[in-house]
Amino acid sequence: MDWTSVTLEYCSAPSGGAEEFSFQANGWGADIANKLARKCDVVNRGLSGYNSRWARIILPRLLSSHSSADNNNNIAAVTVFFGANDCALEDKNPQQHVPVQEYSENLKEISRLLASSGVSADRVIFITPPPVHEAAWEKECILKGCPLNRHNSAAGQYAQACVQAAGQCGADVLDLWTLMQKDGQDYTVYLSDGLHLSARGNQFVAQHLWGLLESRVADLPFILPYWGDVDAKDPESSLLCDQ
Protein backbone atom coordinates (compact mmCIF):
# COMPACT_ATOMS: atom_id res chain seq x y z
CA MET A 1 0.00 0.00 0.00
CA ASP A 2 1.42 3.39 -1.01
CA TRP A 3 1.12 6.21 1.48
CA THR A 4 1.20 9.60 -0.18
CA SER A 5 2.41 12.63 1.73
CA VAL A 6 2.44 16.39 1.53
CA THR A 7 5.62 17.65 3.13
CA LEU A 8 5.45 21.14 4.56
CA GLU A 9 9.00 22.51 4.40
CA TYR A 10 8.47 25.96 5.86
CA CYS A 11 11.23 26.27 8.38
CA SER A 12 11.29 30.04 8.71
CA ALA A 13 8.75 32.25 6.96
CA PRO A 14 6.61 34.60 9.01
CA SER A 15 8.94 34.91 11.96
CA GLY A 16 9.38 31.34 13.04
CA GLY A 17 6.35 30.42 15.09
CA ALA A 18 3.93 30.49 12.18
CA GLU A 19 5.57 27.51 10.57
CA GLU A 20 6.93 25.33 13.37
CA PHE A 21 3.66 25.80 15.24
CA SER A 22 1.32 25.67 12.24
CA PHE A 23 -0.15 22.42 13.59
CA GLN A 24 -1.47 24.13 16.70
CA ALA A 25 -5.18 24.89 17.01
CA ASN A 26 -6.35 26.93 14.01
CA GLY A 27 -2.91 26.69 12.39
CA TRP A 28 -2.71 26.56 8.61
CA GLY A 29 -0.82 23.26 8.66
CA ALA A 30 -3.50 21.68 10.83
CA ASP A 31 -6.16 22.95 8.42
CA ILE A 32 -4.42 21.33 5.45
CA ALA A 33 -3.88 18.10 7.39
CA ASN A 34 -7.56 18.00 8.29
CA LYS A 35 -8.56 18.40 4.64
CA LEU A 36 -6.29 15.50 3.71
CA ALA A 37 -7.26 13.13 6.53
CA ARG A 38 -7.13 9.50 5.37
CA LYS A 39 -5.78 10.56 2.00
CA CYS A 40 -2.18 11.34 2.80
CA ASP A 41 0.18 12.30 5.60
CA VAL A 42 1.09 15.95 6.08
CA VAL A 43 4.62 16.17 7.46
CA ASN A 44 5.76 19.26 9.39
CA ARG A 45 9.44 20.12 9.13
CA GLY A 46 9.17 23.71 10.39
CA LEU A 47 12.02 25.07 12.49
CA SER A 48 11.37 28.31 14.31
CA GLY A 49 13.76 31.14 13.52
CA TYR A 50 15.62 29.35 10.72
CA ASN A 51 16.63 31.04 7.48
CA SER A 52 17.21 29.66 3.98
CA ARG A 53 20.98 29.40 4.56
CA TRP A 54 20.53 26.98 7.44
CA ALA A 55 17.77 25.08 5.66
CA ARG A 56 19.99 24.52 2.65
CA ILE A 57 22.53 22.89 4.98
CA ILE A 58 20.11 20.57 6.79
CA LEU A 59 17.82 19.67 3.89
CA PRO A 60 19.95 16.70 2.69
CA ARG A 61 19.59 15.15 6.15
CA LEU A 62 15.83 15.70 6.11
CA LEU A 63 15.60 14.13 2.67
CA SER A 64 17.74 11.13 3.63
CA SER A 65 15.48 10.53 6.61
CA HIS A 66 12.64 10.13 4.12
CA SER A 67 14.61 7.01 3.13
CA SER A 68 14.44 6.62 -0.65
CA ALA A 69 13.59 8.12 -4.02
CA ASP A 70 10.77 5.60 -4.26
CA ASN A 71 9.17 7.05 -1.17
CA ASN A 72 9.78 10.58 -2.43
CA ASN A 73 7.86 9.70 -5.59
CA ASN A 74 4.82 9.42 -3.33
CA ILE A 75 5.16 13.04 -2.21
CA ALA A 76 2.27 15.05 -3.62
CA ALA A 77 3.78 18.45 -2.80
CA VAL A 78 6.51 20.19 -0.84
CA THR A 79 6.13 23.74 0.41
CA VAL A 80 9.24 25.88 0.83
CA PHE A 81 8.46 28.81 3.12
CA PHE A 82 11.36 31.19 3.80
CA GLY A 83 12.06 34.89 3.75
CA ALA A 84 10.82 36.63 6.88
CA ASN A 85 13.94 35.69 8.82
CA ASP A 86 16.26 36.13 5.85
CA CYS A 87 15.01 39.69 5.36
CA ALA A 88 15.88 40.76 8.90
CA LEU A 89 18.01 43.92 8.75
CA GLU A 90 21.69 43.04 8.68
CA ASP A 91 22.77 45.76 11.10
CA LYS A 92 19.97 44.97 13.57
CA ASN A 93 19.77 41.17 13.31
CA PRO A 94 22.92 39.73 11.63
CA GLN A 95 22.34 36.21 12.94
CA GLN A 96 19.21 35.64 10.88
CA HIS A 97 19.88 38.03 7.97
CA VAL A 98 20.67 36.53 4.57
CA PRO A 99 21.39 38.83 1.58
CA VAL A 100 18.59 38.75 -0.97
CA GLN A 101 20.80 37.34 -3.75
CA GLU A 102 21.96 34.49 -1.52
CA TYR A 103 18.37 33.92 -0.45
CA SER A 104 17.39 33.49 -4.09
CA GLU A 105 20.25 31.06 -4.71
CA ASN A 106 19.36 29.11 -1.58
CA LEU A 107 15.80 28.63 -2.83
CA LYS A 108 17.09 27.39 -6.18
CA GLU A 109 19.50 25.02 -4.45
CA ILE A 110 16.68 23.70 -2.26
CA SER A 111 14.72 23.02 -5.45
CA ARG A 112 17.73 21.23 -6.95
CA LEU A 113 18.21 19.11 -3.83
CA LEU A 114 14.56 18.13 -3.90
CA ALA A 115 14.79 17.23 -7.60
CA SER A 116 17.89 15.08 -7.01
CA SER A 117 15.88 13.18 -4.39
CA GLY A 118 13.01 12.48 -6.74
CA VAL A 119 10.75 15.46 -5.96
CA SER A 120 10.27 17.27 -9.26
CA ALA A 121 9.84 21.04 -9.43
CA ASP A 122 6.19 20.74 -10.44
CA ARG A 123 5.51 19.34 -6.96
CA VAL A 124 7.21 22.24 -5.17
CA ILE A 125 5.35 25.32 -3.91
CA PHE A 126 7.40 28.32 -2.79
CA ILE A 127 5.72 30.64 -0.26
CA THR A 128 6.90 34.22 0.09
CA PRO A 129 7.20 36.05 3.38
CA PRO A 130 4.05 37.95 4.33
CA PRO A 131 4.12 41.71 4.87
CA VAL A 132 5.47 43.25 8.07
CA HIS A 133 3.50 45.81 10.08
CA GLU A 134 6.41 47.83 11.35
CA ALA A 135 4.64 49.79 14.08
CA ALA A 136 3.29 46.66 15.77
CA TRP A 137 6.52 44.70 15.36
CA GLU A 138 8.58 47.60 16.72
CA LYS A 139 6.61 47.40 19.96
CA GLU A 140 7.54 43.71 20.24
CA CYS A 141 11.17 44.48 19.51
CA ILE A 142 11.27 47.18 22.19
CA LEU A 143 9.82 44.75 24.73
CA LYS A 144 12.69 42.43 23.88
CA GLY A 145 15.22 45.23 24.29
CA CYS A 146 16.11 45.67 20.64
CA PRO A 147 15.27 48.17 17.87
CA LEU A 148 12.97 47.47 14.92
CA ASN A 149 14.74 44.76 12.91
CA ARG A 150 12.48 44.28 9.88
CA HIS A 151 10.95 46.57 7.27
CA ASN A 152 7.97 45.80 5.07
CA SER A 153 9.80 47.11 2.02
CA ALA A 154 12.62 44.61 2.62
CA ALA A 155 10.11 41.77 3.01
CA GLY A 156 8.71 42.84 -0.35
CA GLN A 157 12.14 42.55 -1.99
CA TYR A 158 12.52 39.02 -0.68
CA ALA A 159 8.99 38.15 -1.78
CA GLN A 160 9.82 39.34 -5.29
CA ALA A 161 13.03 37.28 -5.26
CA CYS A 162 11.02 34.24 -4.16
CA VAL A 163 8.54 34.68 -7.01
CA GLN A 164 11.38 35.00 -9.52
CA ALA A 165 13.20 31.95 -8.14
CA ALA A 166 10.04 29.88 -8.36
CA GLY A 167 9.61 30.86 -12.00
CA GLN A 168 13.21 29.96 -12.79
CA CYS A 169 12.83 26.59 -11.07
CA GLY A 170 9.47 25.74 -12.62
CA ALA A 171 7.75 25.67 -9.23
CA ASP A 172 4.46 27.18 -8.12
CA VAL A 173 4.47 30.13 -5.75
CA LEU A 174 2.11 31.57 -3.16
CA ASP A 175 2.90 35.28 -2.92
CA LEU A 176 1.59 36.19 0.52
CA TRP A 177 3.26 39.58 0.56
CA THR A 178 1.29 40.72 -2.49
CA LEU A 179 -1.97 38.91 -1.77
CA MET A 180 -2.29 40.20 1.79
CA GLN A 181 -1.90 43.79 0.61
CA LYS A 182 -3.95 43.48 -2.59
CA ASP A 183 -6.31 46.39 -3.33
CA GLY A 184 -5.10 48.27 -0.28
CA GLN A 185 -6.75 45.91 2.20
CA ASP A 186 -5.85 46.06 5.89
CA TYR A 187 -3.23 43.32 6.04
CA THR A 188 -2.62 43.90 9.74
CA VAL A 189 -5.56 41.60 10.55
CA TYR A 190 -3.45 38.72 9.23
CA LEU A 191 -0.69 39.37 11.78
CA SER A 192 -0.82 38.86 15.53
CA ASP A 193 2.10 41.11 16.43
CA GLY A 194 3.18 42.70 13.17
CA LEU A 195 5.15 39.64 12.08
CA HIS A 196 3.58 36.36 13.17
CA LEU A 197 0.35 35.11 11.62
CA SER A 198 -2.91 35.69 13.46
CA ALA A 199 -5.83 33.26 13.35
CA ARG A 200 -7.10 35.07 10.25
CA GLY A 201 -3.61 34.96 8.79
CA ASN A 202 -3.42 31.21 9.25
CA GLN A 203 -6.83 30.88 7.63
CA PHE A 204 -5.66 33.06 4.74
CA VAL A 205 -2.57 30.90 4.16
CA ALA A 206 -4.57 27.67 4.35
CA GLN A 207 -7.20 28.93 1.92
CA HIS A 208 -4.75 30.10 -0.73
CA LEU A 209 -2.39 27.15 -0.31
CA TRP A 210 -5.31 24.76 -0.69
CA GLY A 211 -6.05 26.42 -4.01
CA LEU A 212 -2.64 25.23 -5.21
CA LEU A 213 -2.82 21.82 -3.54
CA GLU A 214 -6.35 20.70 -4.30
CA SER A 215 -5.78 19.60 -7.90
CA ARG A 216 -2.67 17.66 -6.85
CA VAL A 217 -4.55 15.55 -4.31
CA ALA A 218 -8.04 15.43 -5.82
CA ASP A 219 -7.65 11.88 -7.15
CA LEU A 220 -6.08 10.38 -4.04
CA PRO A 221 -8.17 7.48 -2.70
CA PHE A 222 -9.00 7.08 0.96
CA ILE A 223 -6.45 5.03 2.89
CA LEU A 224 -8.08 1.72 3.85
CA PRO A 225 -11.78 0.99 3.39
CA TYR A 226 -14.69 2.75 5.09
CA TRP A 227 -15.53 0.87 8.29
CA GLY A 228 -18.94 -0.18 7.00
CA ASP A 229 -17.29 -1.89 4.02
CA VAL A 230 -15.05 -4.12 6.14
CA ASP A 231 -16.09 -7.78 6.07
CA ALA A 232 -16.74 -8.44 9.78
CA LYS A 233 -16.44 -12.21 9.32
CA ASP A 234 -13.17 -11.97 7.39
CA PRO A 235 -11.63 -8.52 8.10
CA GLU A 236 -8.26 -9.55 6.65
CA SER A 237 -9.81 -9.82 3.20
CA SER A 238 -10.80 -6.14 3.40
CA LEU A 239 -7.93 -4.68 5.36
CA LEU A 240 -5.02 -6.50 3.73
CA CYS A 241 -6.28 -6.52 0.16
CA ASP A 242 -3.63 -4.03 -1.03
CA GLN A 243 -0.69 -5.87 0.51
Side-chain angles (χ1 to χ4, degrees):
M1 179 180 297
D2 291 334
W3 294 75
T4 304
S5 66
V6 172
T7 301
L8 301 178
E9 296 285 355
Y10 42 73
C11 304
S12 74
S15 73
E19 48 313 291
E20 179 173 335
F21 308 125
S22 70
F23 275 43
Q24 290 185 344
N26 301 314
W28 62 269
D31 189 293
I32 296 297
N34 182 59
K35 283 182 169 65
L36 293 173
R38 288 195 56 186
K39 285 197 169 184
C40 67
D41 297 327
V42 179
V43 182
N44 181 344
R45 289 293 180 266
L47 297 166
S48 177
Y50 273 50
N51 57 32
S52 64
R53 179 185 293 162
W54 301 342
R56 177 176 175 171
I57 294 170
I58 65 171
L59 183 57
R61 180 169 50 169
L62 295 178
L63 291 171
S64 65
S65 69
H66 223 287
S67 75
S68 71
D70 288 339
N71 284 339
N72 288 341
N73 284 333
N74 289 328
I75 293 178
V78 174
T79 61
V80 179
F81 196 168
F82 292 99
N85 291 327
D86 296 67
C87 78
L89 303 178
E90 183 176 13
D91 59 336
K92 301 295 193 300
N93 187 351
Q95 183 175 10
Q96 291 179 305
H97 171 79
V98 173
V100 67
Q101 184 57 43
E102 182 190 342
Y103 166 72
S104 177
E105 291 303 317
N106 288 340
L107 294 182
K108 295 174 191 176
E109 178 60 18
I110 288 171
S111 179
R112 285 190 287 267
L113 288 168
L114 289 168
S116 67
S117 296
V119 182
S120 55
D122 61 337
R123 287 183 280 164
V124 176
I125 300 172
F126 287 167
I127 306 176
T128 77
V132 177
H133 185 225
E134 294 172 20
W137 183 240
E138 185 173 25
K139 293 179 181 179
E140 295 295 320
C141 291
I142 292 173
L143 289 174
K144 297 175 183 177
C146 62
L148 177 66
N149 56 25
R150 286 170 175 79
H151 289 160
N152 191 39
S153 59
Q157 293 173 3
Y158 283 71
Q160 183 178 18
C162 181
V163 171
Q164 292 174 346
Q168 292 167 357
C169 295
D172 270 338
V173 63
L174 174 55
D175 185 357
L176 293 179
W177 192 86
T178 298
L179 287 171
M180 286 183 171
Q181 299 179 90
K182 188 176 180 180
D183 300 325
Q185 64 181 303
D186 179 14
Y187 69 87
T188 64
V189 299
Y190 302 127
L191 305 170
S192 64
D193 56 7
L195 186 63
H196 296 82
L197 294 173
S198 65
R200 285 187 63 179
N202 274 281
Q203 184 180 36
F204 185 96
V205 173
Q207 175 187 346
H208 286 82
L209 180 57
W210 183 247
L212 296 175
L213 285 173
E214 189 171 12
S215 63
R216 304 165 191 260
V217 297
D219 296 330
L220 291 178
F222 280 109
I223 298 171
L224 295 173
Y226 173 65
W227 73 267
D229 295 331
V230 175
D231 185 342
K233 295 181 179 180
D234 183 17
E236 289 83 0
S237 65
S238 301
L239 301 177
L240 302 179
C241 58
D242 292 328
Q243 295 185 353

